[in-house]
């Protein structure tokens, strides 16, 4: 599949999707959202892809939000479908069984922050700014931001960020647990690679089980979460990779997982 507003490349099991609308600071218009949907579907069905990285083109913005020009000109009915499409895309990313890492290389505002929050892991450059500024446009987040931010930081901070609309620094986002790491801008690529490479080599069934247990576990009660954990643990134990991982430990060698 070819894209106008995305650059995609797979190297060593790591599939990098770069959102590329530099004239609009990589803002998500409908076309870009649709392309991103297609790119994620492609990557999810490709066995060679073990980890997905999403980033923004250039050194200024990850994604500066949904496209404000399109928002202004849409009817209420179109706005509803725009929000639902964005939400579906973010939910699809969050529920993927391959790890998705956001490389936040600059402004992650509105839909950009919502996209980052839907990813499983986030590394920000120290120049990044994260925020949900929709209130300043007379609207509110519509791609799942209120719900994901609430679940990550609780009501107090979620209300502060959405009602003020003020972005926060990458360092503050790290203090709040919104990003896993903050690195210098010129170290972002290396940090992403250090995070992604071990995941490429990890046993895929273990990765899938952990993603499902943690991501779904956040929204279900403890008993149901524990049952899910046991089911996924048992599935891991049915793999050759489990035999390899445990044997390698006992034989004091590095495990070589085969995805079987
Ligand atoms: N949608 C559409 N266009 C956008 C955009 C968005 N979310 N964010 C930036 N742009 C466009 C600007 O309109 C401008 O286009 P122009 O050159 O044709 O006028 C271009 O990108 C560069 O942005 P600019 O505002 O000039 O850059 P800046 O460095 O002065 O400010 C930001 C950067 C990110 C602070 C500022 O662009 C901004 O606040 N963007 C909107 C953020 C937002 O509200 N997002 C939520 C949307 S729901």
């Amino acid at each position: 599949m070819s894209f106008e507003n995305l650059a995609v490349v797979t190297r060593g099991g790591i599939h990098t999707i770069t959102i590329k609308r530099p004239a609009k600071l990589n803002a998500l218009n409908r076309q870009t959202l649709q392309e991103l949907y297609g790119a994620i579907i492609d990557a999810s069905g490709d066995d060679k892809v073990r980890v997905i990285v999403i980033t923004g083109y250039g050194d200024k913005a990850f994604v500066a939000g949904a496209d404000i020009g399109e928002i202004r000109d849409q009817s209420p009915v179109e706005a509803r479908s725009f929000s639902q499409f964005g939400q579906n895309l973010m939910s699809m990313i969050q529920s993927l069984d391959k790890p998705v890492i956001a490389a936040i290389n600059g402004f992650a505002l509105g839909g950009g922050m919502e996209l980052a929050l839907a990813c499983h892991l986030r590394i920000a450059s120290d120049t990044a700014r994260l925020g949900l500024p929709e209130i300043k446009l007379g609207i509110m987040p519509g791609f799942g931001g209120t719900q994901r931010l609430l679940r990550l930081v609780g009501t107090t901070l979620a209300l502060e960020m959405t009602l003020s609309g003020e972005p926060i620094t990458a360092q503050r986002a790290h203090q709040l647990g919104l990003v896993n790491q903050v690195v210098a801008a010129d170290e972002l690529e290396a940090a992403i690679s250090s995070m992604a490479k071990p995941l490429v080599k990890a046993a895929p069934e273990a990765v899938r089980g952990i993603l499902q247990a943690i991501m779904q576990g956040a929204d279900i009660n403890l008993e149901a979460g524990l049952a899910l954990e046991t089911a996924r643990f048992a599935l891991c134990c049915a793999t050759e990779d489990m035999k390899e991982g445990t044997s390698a430990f006992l034989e004091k060698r590095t495990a070589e997982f085969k995805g079987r």
Side-chain angles (χ1 to χ4, degrees), residues 21-25 27-28 60-61 64-69 71 107 109-111 132-134 136-137 139-140:
R21 278 188 87 209
K24 298 293 174 192
L25 300 185
L28 298 172
K60 190 167 174 183
D67 191 295
I68 296 170
I71 292 174
F107 289 111
L109 301 176
L132 293 174
E134 286 88 344
K136 296 182 181 181
L137 303 169
I139 55 174
M140 62 179 283

Side-chain angles (χ1 to χ4, degrees), residues 234-255:
L235 202 51
C236 289
C237 293
T239 62
E240 286 177 25
D241 283 344
M242 179 278 268
K243 293 273 184 253
E244 166 64 9
T246 50
S247 302
F249 174 80
L250 296 170
E251 292 160 16
K252 304 191 188 309
R253 61 178 174 81
T254 305

